[in-house]
Amino acid sequence: MIDFSSPRHRAKFGYLLLAPAVLMMALIIIYPILLSVDISLQDVRIARVGGDREPWTLENYDWLVRSGEFWNAVWVTAKMVLTVGGISLAIGLATALLVNQKFRGRALARLFVALPWAVPEVVATVIWAWMLDSSFGVVNWALLKVGLIGAPIQFASNATAAFFAVCFVMIWKGYPLVSIMLLAGLQSIPEEQYQAARVDGANVWQRFLFITLPSLAPVIGVTAVMTTLWVFRDFAIIYVLTQGGPIGSTTTLSILTFEQSFSFFRMGQGAAVGVVTLVICAFISRALVGRFANSVH
Amino acid sequence: MATIDFDNVQKSYGEVHAIRDFTLHVEDGDFCVFVGPSGCGKSTALKMLAGLEATSAGSISIGGRDVTELGPGKRDIAMVFQNYALYPHMSVRSNIGFGLKMRGQDKADINRRVEAAAETLELTSYLDRRPRALSGGQRQRVALGRAIVREPSAFLMDEPLSNLDAKLRVQTRSEIVNLQKRLGVTTIYVTHDQVEALTMASKIVVMRGGVIQQIGSPDTLFAEPANIFVAGFIGSPGMNFFRGPVEIENGRAQTRFGEQVVPLSVSPDRLPRGEAIFGIRPEHLKIGGETGGTPVSLGLVESLGTEKILHFPTPEGQAIHSLQKVIGSDDAARDSTTMLARVIDDRRYSDGEHVRVALPEGKVHVFDPETQKALS
Ligand SMILES: Nc1ncnc2c1ncn2[C@@H]1O[C@H](COP(=O)(O)OP(=O)(O)O)[C@@H](O)[C@H]1O
Ligand SMILES: [Mg+2]
């Protein structure tokens, strides 16, 4: 009989306890990934698990590198990641700095900053789709009233407008999480650091630059990764708002994956896009997490 | 180099009066220690001097210049914090040089001065490390380095030794004193530890509840405490107190301690009628005489080798039960019915032993039972 409480055998007991969880993870994470890799290597239109297998081929990847659609989706995704990531970080940091100050009604302000995060994605998008509507939308109405524009912006048919509308809703939905995480980061900076810097003669801007930013760097890194992956992954906002159009201007890699698989029923090609997206995401997270984690420690 | 003046400074946080009527003059080059129990407002006073907290009223001057309205960066002071407050993402070199960099000094000059400061504090081989990679004592020295490199007109230190272990604390204590002597920079040092205060200071400010109790040199505070609080706070262990009658015999005042008649050096007309509070330091008690004094039975005997702390009950009816509140509960070993004697000899004492305790003439302090002030 093995005594699992002895220091010698404690690790074994740990593995034993972990085993079911690891198996579950393997089933629900690893299996689908392997499945998509498998499908991406077959020339299939509608894949059926357990059906007849096609022979393995690189045809789908060949299509990928040659097709304009794939490179367009890469380009759209990159633009969107940079726009949404950059602006969310900026707004998130600004709001976090704001609600980290002591002032009356701070609790309320914090609630407001966090609010968009609590609204379900589809609900938020539907509300925005309605507000951005070119004939009935409140946004166009307001812009017209103020006189900033002469004619309603066609969010559905103007490629640039559609892209920025999607970005806008993503930022609106995404910055609260950034803000909450950065606020937690800000609160972990000891007050004495700022006092020391003030005695050392640092002004507000220098304290931000030399104390706040370096201390926040790891949190910023993690947040940037999360936002990036979120934009890569997001489907609901784009699909509800624009369905990837007009003329592919908001077709990101995940929209393309969906389109190929379920609109055009070319599951092999869809899976290939999905696999490539996965690889890109893995590299980005590795690079960002590694860099920011190293910059402090 | 500068004098420091607090002129009737007040500080309140809403309802809480953290500092009241704080008036103090510190000479150029003084090592001034603020000491008092936790929460008495030492840090608050120091932060107001640093410019990190606003005063509610009154004014503060450094080197004759009124700095009440200036920010911390413009007061030409350097501060050492309790937790050192080193910048974790900067090397030791950048930590020390940060203040100079913020003042726009050129790189070569900063480097030269940082290296000189590092030399003084024996930090040269650690200059390129991050603070995390240093021991507590080394971090403490980096914090000191950050202060001395700027050559400010005053050093402010808030309990800089409290995170060090006992041995390192004693060692660093003398290093700081030597450094201060050598540089001659006016220093304000905050601590709750009266031993630190006595050993380091040229001037001690004893505080309690936001009010200054007494200002003086270590010797003055020890020999002539201004009130019961200071008498009980200063010294290790602090002064013993007992209640006794005031009697006049042949024009001289005297009191009684158990069986012993104790002559007082205070003139009779300054003493209250009836009763007074008397104090005697543990090291002044005479133990083990054949005659004289009063017999007591020893309680606890704490032995530190040749030095011993003897506990014995206060004579019947002479304990002061309201005293706990006055001296505070800092000293856990002390309660109002026990007195302590500190002896250094080769005799062995055992629990329950009967010995005679005598109060030598001229060593007894007298306090007014109403105001608790010393009478002399
Ligand atoms: N920011 C603050 N707000 C309210 N009360 C405070 C604040 N800072 C200190 N105090 C109060 O002022 C008193 C003195 O505090 P402090 O100066 O830190 O004492 P210490 O002598 O231990 O350094 C304490 O009673 C404390 O509760
Ligand atoms: Mg304090």
Side-chain angles (χ1 to χ4, degrees):
Chain A
M1 188 65 205
I2 299 176
D3 180 5
F4 283 121
S5 66
S6 96
R8 243 198 158 134
H9 301 299
R10 213 148 39 189
K12 291 178 195 153
F13 190 49
Y15 287 127
L16 209 66
L17 287 178
L18 270 178
V22 172
L23 282 177
M24 282 295 285
M25 295 277 279
L27 271 179
I28 57 183
I29 296 180
I30 312 281
Y31 176 69
I33 292 179
L34 291 180
L35 196 63
S36 14
V37 173
D38 184 37
I39 295 175
S40 75
L41 289 170
Q42 299 174 47
D43 185 12
V44 288
R45 301 189 64 83
I46 301 176
R48 277 203 190 81
V49 178
D52 292 341
R53 293 184 52 90
E54 302 282 330
W56 276 7
T57 160
L58 285 177
E59 222 168 88
N60 294 321
Y61 291 94
D62 191 45
W63 163 81
L64 204 75
V65 289
R66 286 168 195 281
S67 82
E69 290 162 78
F70 172 72
W71 292 113
N72 175 62
V74 169
W75 172 233
V76 169
T77 311
K79 272 198 303 185
M80 206 171 273
V81 162
L82 287 179
T83 315
V84 174
I87 298 181
S88 301
L89 263 182
I91 297 181
L93 183 56
T95 48
L97 287 170
L98 184 74
V99 297
N100 194 36
Q101 302 297 316
K102 287 202 186 90
F103 59 87
R104 270 171 166 283
R106 175 169 77 165
L108 205 64
R110 285 188 178 174
L111 182 68
F112 267 107
V113 167
L115 205 54
W117 189 53
V119 181
E121 197 160 85
V122 173
V123 175
T125 316
V126 169
I127 295 171
W128 277 107
W130 171 74
M131 294 210 289
L132 291 169
D133 189 276
S134 45
S135 2
F136 313 109
V138 66
V139 173
N140 266 322
W141 174 81
L143 290 176
L144 280 170
K145 273 277 179 212
V146 178
L148 279 176
I149 52 174
I153 302 172
Q154 304 293 326
F155 287 107
S157 56
N158 179 329
T160 313
F163 178 79
F164 283 109
V166 167
C167 286
F168 177 82
V169 177
M170 280 192 171
I171 291 165
W172 184 85
K173 188 80 184 81
Y175 88 87
L177 182 64
V178 178
S179 187
I180 291 167
M181 300 218 358
L182 292 182
L183 181 62
L186 283 176
Q187 285 174 341
S188 72
I189 306 176
E191 181 58 28
E192 279 196 344
Q193 297 256 312
Y194 289 107
Q195 295 184 340
R198 278 163 71 193
V199 171
D200 270 339
N203 61 30
V204 176
W205 169 241
Q206 288 167 323
R207 293 201 294 274
F208 176 72
L209 199 63
F210 294 114
I211 309 291
T212 311
L213 269 191
S215 307
L216 280 186
V219 187
I220 292 179
V222 171
T223 314
V225 172
M226 286 177 49
T227 314
T228 302
L229 297 186
W230 177 66
V231 174
F232 260 95
R233 235 187 34 216
D234 188 82
F235 178 77
I237 293 178
I238 304 176
Y239 202 74
V240 172
L241 223 50
T242 66
Q243 290 86 43
I247 48 165
S249 62
T250 55
T251 304
T252 57
L253 286 165
S254 39
I255 296 284
L256 184 65
T257 309
F258 177 82
E259 263 186 357
Q260 292 295 329
S261 306
F262 302 111
S263 302
F264 309 147
F265 293 107
R266 289 194 290 249
M267 288 200 181
Q269 295 181 3
V273 178
V275 169
V276 171
T277 311
L278 181 79
V279 173
I280 298 176
C281 286
F283 271 107
I284 291 178
S285 9
R286 180 71 201 91
L288 283 180
V289 172
R291 156 150 320 162
F292 281 98
N294 285 340
S295 74
V296 260
H297 298 306
Chain B
M1 315 300 114
T3 57
I4 291 172
D5 288 280
F6 286 81
D7 185 14
N8 206 18
V9 170
Q10 320 278 338
K11 176 71 186 179
S12 42
Y13 293 106
E15 297 285 283
V16 186
H17 263 275
I19 297 286
R20 267 178 234 261
D21 309 331
F22 199 94
T23 300
L24 172 69
H25 172 76
V26 181
E27 290 294 341
D28 182 15
D30 255 356
F31 196 112
C32 176
V33 174
F34 293 178
V35 68
S38 184
C40 71
K42 311 175 294 286
S43 297
T44 305
L46 195 72
K47 281 183 188 155
M48 286 194 290
L49 175 58
L52 294 169
E53 290 278 358
T55 53
S56 301
S59 68
I60 298 175
S61 318
I62 300 176
R65 179 174 65 127
D66 187 337
V67 296
T68 319
E69 305 292 329
L70 295 181
K74 300 213 165 65
R75 294 192 179 194
D76 193 23
I77 44 114
M79 189 156 170
V80 177
F81 293 84
Q82 181 171 1
N83 299 313
Y84 316 139
L86 302 180
Y87 311 121
H89 45 272
M90 293 182 202
S91 65
V92 169
R93 184 187 299 277
S94 315
N95 261 287
I96 298 179
F98 189 73
L100 299 174
K101 184 171 159 188
M102 291 305 105
R103 284 173 172 72
Q105 308 259 351
D106 69 69
K107 276 226 173 67
D109 192 32
I110 295 178
N111 225 10
R112 195 176 45 72
R113 287 168 67 174
V114 168
E115 307 242 322
E119 185 84 29
T120 311
L121 295 163
E122 293 165 28
L123 283 170
T124 310
S125 48
Y126 306 108
L127 274 177
D128 293 310
R129 289 208 200 166
R130 293 277 164 88
R132 306 191 315 135
L134 300 179
S135 71
Q138 290 164 341
R139 287 181 205 187
Q140 212 277 334
R141 293 216 296 281
V142 176
L144 280 177
R146 200 161 65 174
I148 65 172
V149 76
R150 296 221 330 258
E151 298 170 11
S153 53
F155 291 145
L156 315 185
M157 307 191 186
D158 192 350
E159 314 221 5
L161 303 184
S162 57
N163 284 344
L164 301 181
D165 62 59
K167 199 168 172 191
L168 201 54
R169 200 176 316 167
V170 173
Q171 186 186 333
T172 315
R173 205 157 76 190
S174 52
E175 280 175 18
I176 291 182
V177 171
N178 288 337
L179 190 68
Q180 194 270 344
K181 281 222 178 76
R182 190 142 48 88
L183 301 173
V185 176
T186 315
T187 301
I188 310 280
Y189 183 105
V190 162
T191 180
H192 63 268
D193 181 355
Q194 51 91 23
V195 177
E196 251 172 54
L198 288 175
T199 49
M200 300 176 85
S202 60
K203 180 177 217 162
I204 299 181
V205 178
V206 183
M207 296 174 64
R208 174 179 170 231
V211 179
I212 295 182
Q213 303 291 306
Q214 189 173 7
I215 302 174
S217 70
D219 290 340
T220 313
L221 256 57
F222 194 79
E224 299 153 27
N227 59 33
I228 292 182
F229 173 77
V230 176
F233 188 76
I234 298 288
S236 44
M239 195 179 276
N240 296 301
F241 301 102
F242 62 92
R243 217 157 38 147
V246 175
E247 296 165 359
I248 315 286
E249 193 139 318
N250 305 330
R252 278 206 68 185
Q254 64 180 39
T255 185
R256 287 171 190 280
F257 178 71
E259 294 174 3
Q260 188 192 357
V261 172
V262 186
L264 302 173
S265 46
V266 183
S267 73
D269 51 322
R270 301 188 52 89
L271 290 172
R273 307 265 148 252
E275 268 195 345
I277 293 176
F278 300 90
I280 177 81
R281 292 219 172 264
E283 41 273 295
H284 291 152
L285 284 166
K286 290 259 177 297
I287 302 286
E290 294 298 320
T291 54
T294 190
V296 298
S297 125
L298 294 182
L300 186 63
V301 176
E302 294 176 75
S303 175
L304 308 157
T306 46
E307 177 182 340
K308 275 149 288 221
I309 308 283
L310 311 178
H311 296 234
F312 60 89
T314 311
E316 193 75 23
Q318 296 199 282
I320 310 166
H321 293 285
S322 59
L323 212 58
Q324 211 68 17
K325 286 202 288 288
V326 179
I327 339 182
S329 49
D330 258 29
D331 208 344
R334 161 179 300 269
D335 66 62
S336 53
T337 57
T338 307
M339 294 179 77
L340 310 179
R342 185 160 160 241
V343 291
I344 299 181
D345 60 19
D346 291 331
R347 214 192 122 177
R348 282 171 181 277
Y349 296 90
S350 55
D351 298 2
E353 189 180 338
H354 289 273
V355 293
R356 297 190 83 85
V357 173
L359 275 54
E361 205 180 331
K363 297 293 189 188
V364 178
H365 299 255
V366 190
F367 301 94
D368 188 316
E370 296 299 318
T371 63
Q372 302 180 346
K373 289 209 164 66
L375 303 169
S376 57

